[in-house]
Amino acid sequence: MAETAGEPVTIRVLVADDHAAVRAGIALILDGVPDIEVIGEAADGEQAVTMAKQLRPDVVLMDVRMPRLDGISATRELAGVSDVLILTTFDVDEYVFGALRAGAAGFLLKNTDAESLVEAVRLVARGDGLISPGVTRKLIAAFAKQATPSRREPAAGPESLTPREREVLACIGRGMSNADIAKELDMAEATTKTHVSRVLNKLGLKSRVQAAIYYSGGT
């Protein structure tokens, strides 16, 4: 996660897509922004994993369907290495569900405009989750319905959360960023991040996107 108190931070990004033109277009957009640097481009999932482990980017923009290793498997291998922002056309639901289970930090449609792409990278780099507005309702409803019967039980139930942690979980479920939660609950953003981490750990979840789905399925 890119963060240095009091200093401008450059967000280091790896772009993974098997279409050269798509990679070049994304890189062109992101490299034109002062606080973002594209440090590498990968043409398939295996290359994405190898490069991410070597370069340690803050964010990996990951296509879902790629040769040699698909984006879901690559995302699973990068848990704890880099935050992964999935790029999808959302025409095959199970791919997106698989990426959710693998711990993806967010989902973005490939037809997203340049401004939204840049903001999505910044959000994920700050530790916030993101689901493109075009897929939010469909994704949450379908995932909650299809994944709940077969999903692994969390490490603990919601009763393990403190009252403050339950408030934080509710905010995550409403799609709020760390900054929004801090303002809503009148606490420092650093404290918010700590609470988010504790919520994820207690519930056995890999990302705040999973936490949002968890909350949606339980309310």
Side-chain angles (χ1 to χ4, degrees):
M1 183 186 305
E3 182 176 357
T4 304
E7 297 180 10
V9 175
T10 298
I11 301 168
R12 303 166 72 251
V13 178
L14 173 67
V15 180
D17 197 294
D18 59 330
H19 293 93
V22 174
R23 293 198 310 273
I26 293 173
L28 183 64
I29 292 170
L30 297 180
D31 272 334
V33 180
D35 61 334
I36 298 177
E37 176 188 5
V38 175
I39 60 171
E41 298 179 28
D44 58 63
E46 283 189 8
Q47 188 178 25
V49 171
T50 298
M51 293 181 69
K53 289 182 176 180
Q54 290 175 344
L55 301 174
R56 299 280 170 160
D58 300 303
V59 179
V60 178
L61 277 171
M62 184 84 73
D63 187 22
V64 174
R65 286 177 284 184
M66 292 186 291
R68 298 176 66 196
L69 188 69
D70 63 75
I72 297 169
S73 299
T75 297
R76 189 175 297 113
E77 291 196 30
L78 292 179
V81 177
S82 300
D83 287 324
V84 176
L85 178 57
I86 294 290
L87 291 171
T88 178
T89 55
F90 203 65
D91 57 353
V92 183
D93 291 348
E94 58 266 28
Y95 286 159
V96 182
F97 301 154
L100 252 179
R101 299 184 188 102
F107 301 87
L108 200 63
L109 292 175
K110 282 192 171 182
N111 63 359
T112 298
D113 60 61
E115 183 178 352
S116 297
L117 172 63
V118 169
E119 185 57 27
V121 169
R122 288 173 176 156
L123 281 170
V124 170
R126 289 202 301 263
D128 291 325
L130 176 135
I131 304 177
S132 175
V135 304
T136 301
R137 289 183 180 276
K138 182 178 179 182
L139 176 59
I140 289 178
F143 186 84
K145 178 180 179 181
Q146 296 184 22
T148 299
S150 61
R151 73 182 180 187
R152 283 177 18 184
E153 288 299 315
E159 67 279 357
S160 68
L161 302 179
T162 66
R164 177 60 95 184
E165 288 166 354
R166 291 194 191 100
E167 291 178 332
V168 170
L169 176 61
C171 289
I172 294 173
R174 287 156 54 193
M176 298 173 68
S177 68
N178 285 346
D180 291 335
I181 295 173
K183 184 176 180 180
E184 174 79 10
L185 301 182
D186 192 25
M187 58 186 179
E189 191 167 347
T191 304
T192 299
K193 292 178 181 178
T194 299
H195 282 305
V196 170
S197 295
R198 287 175 179 169
V199 167
L200 297 181
N201 288 335
K202 286 185 177 181
L203 298 180
L205 303 172
K206 294 181 179 179
S207 71
R208 62 189 298 131
V209 177
Q210 285 188 351
I213 300 299
Y214 178 91
Y215 179 80
S216 176
T219 57

